[in-house]
Structures are given as structure tokens and as C-alpha cells.
Amino acid sequence: MTATALLFALPLIAALPLALSEALDRSAWHALWADPQLPRALGASVFTALASTLGAIALTLWLVTHLHATPAWARLTAALGPMLALPHAAFAIGLAWLIAPAGALARLIAPLAGWSAPPDWVTVNDPHGLALVAVLLLKELPFLLWSALALLSRPEVAASLRAQVALARTLGYAPHAWWWRVGWLQWAPRLVWPALAVLAYGLTVVDLALIVGPGSPPTLAVLAWQGLSDGNVARNAQGAAAALLLTGVLVMLVAAGFVVMAGLQRWGRRRVARGVRGRGFEGRRPLAARATVGSVATVYAGVVLALGVLSVAGVWTFPALWPQGVSGAAWAQVVQSASTVGFTAALAAAASAGGVLLSMAWLEAAPPRWDRRITPLVLAPLVLPQLLLMVGMYRGALALQLDGTVLGLWWVHTLMALPYSFTALAPAWRSFDRRYEWSALTLGRRRLAFWWRVKWPLLSGPLASALAIGFAVSVAQYLATQFIGAGRHATLTTEAVALASGGQRTLAAAFALLQALLPALAFALAAWAQRRPTMQP
Amino acid sequence: MSLELKEVSISLHGRPLVPPLSASVGPGEVLVLMGESGSGKSSLLAFLAGLLEPPLVGTGRVHLGGRDITALPTERRRVGLLFQDDLLFPHLSVRDNLLFALPAGDRTARIARADAALQRAGLGGYAARPPASLSGGQRARVSLLRALLAEPQALLLDEPFSKLDAALRGRMREFVWAELQTQQVCAVLVTHDAQDVPAGAQVIELPPGVAVGPVADDV
């Protein structure tokens, strides 16, 4: 048990002081402040993170308010899985092609606008980071919706929600009026952690910023990453200082967020006191909400289609809607990189297995007292800025001589997959009826027999989901692979990002498609495992 | 085989919940524990089964067939346990549920034994069916058969009839007492309902204890 706890906790406990020790260098801070790119880079980071996070939160609240308990809700929840499974980098590469001046959207409207050449617009890598905001918003919206769905589906919450809405309706409140006046006052605070994870991710994301973010100067996260990957020690320290600065900014934004939330709660309670009932549910807003969901789903479908077409495009002049020729050149190069595909899949399988085994060991054996203390640490990578975490973990890997090794990569990918595997497994594991175990023991069977014959088969669904989620998380790792792999090990993600930021569209699209296909395959396998014939009445 | 309780007591956070208790139950006999909610009846059963968990602490000795089982792990005590719910494993067929309980041995012989038990209980046609397709009464019978096929030397019954409707409860009681008699297994029954008490059973009324919630109530 102690060993499991150490595996969980030590890397994280060690990573932060190690990162701080590198970042707390006076000359590094002087160099950072003297960098003329800093103000605009910091501004772009804060703007893109705040705009995407607030936009995703607002859309989540609005969509849940108008669609929950309607037929459209079921369709929305069914669409969330594929949206979540599409890796961030693949989505960014596809969306970049959709909105590029020579991209699919421009080609669609070219006949109407009379364009014979791409418009002189900067829609990707724009200096304000609007493309990055769009990618982050569209990619984090399904995550927040899924978090809200998970919360509202809990039996105790679902029962209370049904009863409260029914009661509110008897008091003359339309359901959406109840959500804004009462519902969100209760449930929104429970969505703070997912929102915090979205903000932390948006503020420190590197791969997406390289693909669609501003170029000169880039976001502060990219500046930090460039410093950290430099061969010069002073530049490394400057990069670590930038990562620490971003963490400080995150802390301030979170503090401000809590103040704003408290204010909104007070304002909400005052609105309750006014007793305004709101109009009926039949209005334009549910229609607009359904249209929004449809638009987001269309964008996702468009991204996948764009990746598919782009990966086989030969000659494709503007403003032709479809390529004039088909080419297998990109896929031929992918085939030559089969070892990268194999390595990505093997690493993801090993990391997801590691994450699930550690989660199972913890859930099975941790005393409740430890469980309460260690669980927040296990979940910490979800809300900690990855950049700072990676600085510390890289220092740890250097000390253990694990940098650049496959073992080191497996270790850091496992740690990144762990919170997701744990989150997927814990509810089912903790709500498993312990009396089954007592029954088995009193029938004279050992625990191992009970786990093998009863518990694991009954929990095969959550286990398969946890494995698939861990696999997808590992496949999508960019910073972790670059830092701990020390640039020696290529995965589909590192290749796709490098190709996309280098402007190799078709090859990047092929790698991005494969990057999306691997997790999709894992989720399909998980769904198949859950649909195996079981004893049904 | 007889079950002996020697000065068995349960405490919660150092405070006594069940006062020291001694009793002996012979083969085919039933010891009935009655008392209010929170009096520690179910905790006492958990102690006998080796399933008592902190903050509850049990003291005293438990002997079964002359051997001291107090320190033995649950799976080696040969003490069966039946709950209010049947707790049949939902992903296994009725027959596989019984096979899970039967001691290791020749597969064909084990299947024959499980099927014979089902036949005797009037459930001959249900062997391959999933538990969810059976009625509540049928599931309760399968649950009892499963407990008995593990060849326990004592059976602990934690309000096993309380979730059955009145007509079914009577039939199930008769089925359980007859099986215990046939197999000469001693039993400890926890119940609130005086009608559950079989003729000639020893009855111990536990004094009101400290209500401790689901641990004591549900174990």
C-alpha cells in the first residue's frame, strides 16, 4: 500500500519543488522582464485562456439550461463521446484547414464572393489568438458538458433535480427560470474543478498554440517551452521562470474567479427575491440551443472530413472545393513511419494499463483516511499547469536518469493517464455493493476468486472505459513526450504538431487522422467489451 | 456441528454496543437475535462471519464444531451468510451462481449437484437463466441454496425474509427451516418480526444500543 501511495504521490510532490528551484533564479527573472515579447505574449495567453474558458462555461450553462430533460439532451450526450475522443492537436490541424484563407470555408463562399484567390485575411496564427480561442472553446465545451452530465446523472442529484424542477413548475417557474435562479446556484460550484482544469490547460497549452496560436510573439506558454527546450542553461531558467509566472497568473485568475462567482451567487439570490417567473419553455431559446449543438457537431464532422480529404489531396488549386487530384504520398510516408504508430500505440497501451492498475490497487486497498488525503494529489495533474509540472518532472527524470528513456516516457504518460483512469473507475468501484464480496467470502472463496469471477466482470464496463480514456490521454501527450523523451522518441502527436507548425498540410493531416483513429479504436474496443453478451433476463 | 458464542461483545469507539453474550446453538437449531435498530444485531453477525470493520470492535470467542474460529479469515470459517437481498451475481447464470459456491472437484459432478439442488427446490428449469429473470421468491431460494451448497457449518441470516411479501415470506420460512433441518446446519437469525421465529428457537433480545448508521444496520 505504501508503495502504491509513493508511486502516486512522490512524482508530484517532488515535481513542484524541483520546478521552483529552477524557476527561482534572479537573473532568469531579469531576462524574462527584459524580453520585449513578454507583455504581448502574456496578454495573448491570458486573453486566449480567459475567452475560451468563459465562452465554454457560458455555453455549457446555457445549453444545459435549455436542453436538459429534452429529447435533444439525449442526442447531445450521445455526441459527446466522439467529440471528446478527437485529440486536441488533430482537431486544431483540421480546424486550421477549415478556417484558413485558402481553406474549406473560403472555398465554399468563394463563388458567392467572387474570389479567385484566397482572401488576404489572417485567420490562423492571428496575432490576437482568435483561432486559438476557437479551438480551445470548441474542444473544451464537450469536456465541460460531459462534466455537467456526469454531475447531473448522479442518482442523488438527478432525483433532487427532477423534484425541484417539478416543484418550481407548480410555483409558476419555467424550467429555464429555475435553472438560472436556483439550479445553477446549487450545482455550478460543483463544476469549479473541471472549469479550473480548462483554464489551466488553456493558459499553458503549447501544442495547440504552435498549430493555430499567434506567431510573433507567440503565447507565453510557447515562449516558456522554447526557453526550456533550449540548450542554453540561462534560457532554460528563463523558460522555467515564464512557466512559474503563468502559474502565478493562473492562481490570480482563479482567485478572481472565486470572487466573481461569490458575487454572481449573491446576485442570483437577489433575483430569487424578486420572484420573476420567466416565460414558458416553448420559445426560441431551446431552438437556438439545438442549433448551437448542431453547429458544434457540424464543425467536428467538418474537421474529420477536412483531415480525410487533405490527407489524400494532390493538386488542389483555389477556389476548387475538392482536390483536382488524389495522392497517396502522405500515407506512403505514414507507412514508412509505421514504427512511430506502433510505438505510440504500445506506449499508450502500457500507460493506460499502468494507470488502471495503479487506480485499482489504490481503490482496492487504500484506507479511507489515506484515500481522502491522496486522492486530491492524484487528480492534481488535471488542474496544475502542465508546463510547470513537466519542468519538475523533467528534473526528477534527470535525477533518476530516466530522461530520454522509454521507461521514463511510460512513467510520465502513466502519471498523466492516472487521474483520468482514476476518475473513470472510482465512482463504480466505490459504489460496488460490498455485500457481494462478503457473500463470496462466506461461500468459502478467496478474494482473488471473487475479483476474478465476480467483481472485475461486473466492473468490466468502467474498466474498459478507463483503459480507453487512459489510452487516449497518452496518445495526446505532447509536452510530456517532448520533455521526458528529450526529443528522442517520436509519437503521432509530436509528429503531427511538428508537421503542422512546419506547414506540411497533407502529411500533418494524415498523422492527425491517425492520431484521432487510435483513440477512436480504443473507445470502439471499450464499447465492444461492454456489449459482449452478458446474462440478460 | 454446534456454534458457541463465549462472552461475545461489540463496542463502537470504545463504548459498548452489544453487552457480553454467551450462547450455544446445536445442529438444525436456530438462535434468534431481536432488538431495535442500532442495537448491534447485524454487527454481531458480522463479527461471527469475520466481517466486522472499524470503528466497530468485537471481543470474545466463537467456536464452531469445537474449533475456535475467532481469528480465522472469513473464507475459512465455514460460516454462511444470507442478507435481505439475494445478492446473486447478476452476470452469472443461476447454475453458475451455485457452482461458484460448491467446493472444488469434478466439474460434471458439481454441475449434477447444483442441478439436483435446483430440482429439489422446484427450480429445475431455471439453471441456465440469469438471476434477473427469476421472481423475488425464486431468487431468495437460489440464494439459500447457494449458501448451503458451500457446505457451511453455520448459517447467519440477516433479516432474509424482510423484503418478501407476506405470502411468500411464509413459504420461504418453511423452506429455510426445512433445509436447515435436513442439512443439520445451525443458524443465527436476526429479525424484527416475531413471526419469523421458528418454533423451539432460542431468542435473545438485545438491549437498545448506539445507532451507528449503515455499518451496524447493514452488515
Side-chain angles (χ1 to χ4, degrees), chain A residues 21 66 86 101 118 125 170 193 227 258 264 272 333 360 377 394 404 472:
Chain A
S21 69
H66 291 293
L86 189 64
N125 304 119
T170 65
W193 290 107
F258 276 110
L264 282 174
V272 172
Q333 271 191 268
M360 283 167 70
L377 209 55
Y394 178 61

Side-chain angles (χ1 to χ4, degrees), chain A residues 52-97:
Chain A
S52 59
T53 305
L54 293 177
I57 290 172
L59 268 177
T60 300
L61 299 183
W62 184 67
L63 290 175
V64 172
T65 298
H66 291 293
L67 296 182
H68 187 258
T70 70
W73 183 250
R75 289 196 292 277
L76 170 65
T77 54
L80 286 181
M83 290 186 191
L84 287 166
L86 189 64
H88 283 71
F91 181 80
I93 292 169
L95 191 76
W97 171 244

Side-chain angles (χ1 to χ4, degrees), chain B residues 8-208:
Chain B
V8 169
S9 67
I10 309 286
S11 61
L12 172 69
H13 297 303
R15 285 182 298 164
L17 178 65
V18 176
L21 182 77
S22 295
S24 177
V25 207
E29 293 176 0
V30 180
L31 168 67
V32 180
L33 300 174
M34 297 187 80
E36 294 174 8
S37 292
S39 61
K41 308 181 295 293
S42 296
S43 301
L44 194 54
L45 285 196
F47 180 66
L48 299 181
L51 292 167
L52 199 66
E53 290 184 345
L56 291 158
V57 175
T59 54
R61 311 304 302 175
V62 184
H63 287 238
L64 184 58
R67 84 192 159 120
D68 188 344
I69 62 165
T70 319
L72 284 181
T74 303
E75 61 270 27
R76 288 176 53 202
R77 290 189 177 208
R78 301 192 65 185
V79 172
L81 181 57
L82 273 189
F83 296 92
Q84 289 175 6
D85 301 304
D86 56 73
L87 293 175
L88 295 174
F89 306 132
H91 63 303
L92 300 180
S93 67
V94 168
R95 181 192 285 126
D96 285 343
N97 265 280
L98 299 189
L99 290 176
F100 183 85
L102 273 167
D106 174 61
R107 187 170 180 273
T108 316
R110 293 172 81 236
I111 291 175
R113 229 183 121 187
D115 287 353
L118 286 171
Q119 203 73 43
R120 204 177 66 241
L123 296 165
Y126 296 89
R129 299 265 292 266
S133 69
L134 272 59
S135 70
Q138 289 169 329
R139 285 201 302 272
R141 274 183 283 165
V142 175
S143 183
L144 176 71
L145 290 179
R146 185 177 68 172
L148 292 174
L149 283 176
E151 299 175 1
Q153 293 172 346
L155 191 60
L156 309 175
L157 304 156
D158 192 356
E159 304 192 51
F161 315 119
S162 63
K163 285 198 173 171
L164 302 175
D165 63 52
L168 196 58
R169 194 180 302 176
R171 288 204 298 276
M172 189 61 198
R173 279 191 209 115
E174 287 169 22
F175 181 70
V176 171
W177 307 145
E179 286 291 328
L180 292 177
Q181 280 293 325
T182 309
Q183 306 206 16
Q184 285 295 288
V185 173
C186 59
V188 180
L189 168 72
V190 158
T191 183
H192 283 103
D193 187 348
Q195 289 190 323
D196 287 346
V197 180
Q202 298 177 61
V203 178
I204 295 178
E205 186 84 32
L206 294 179

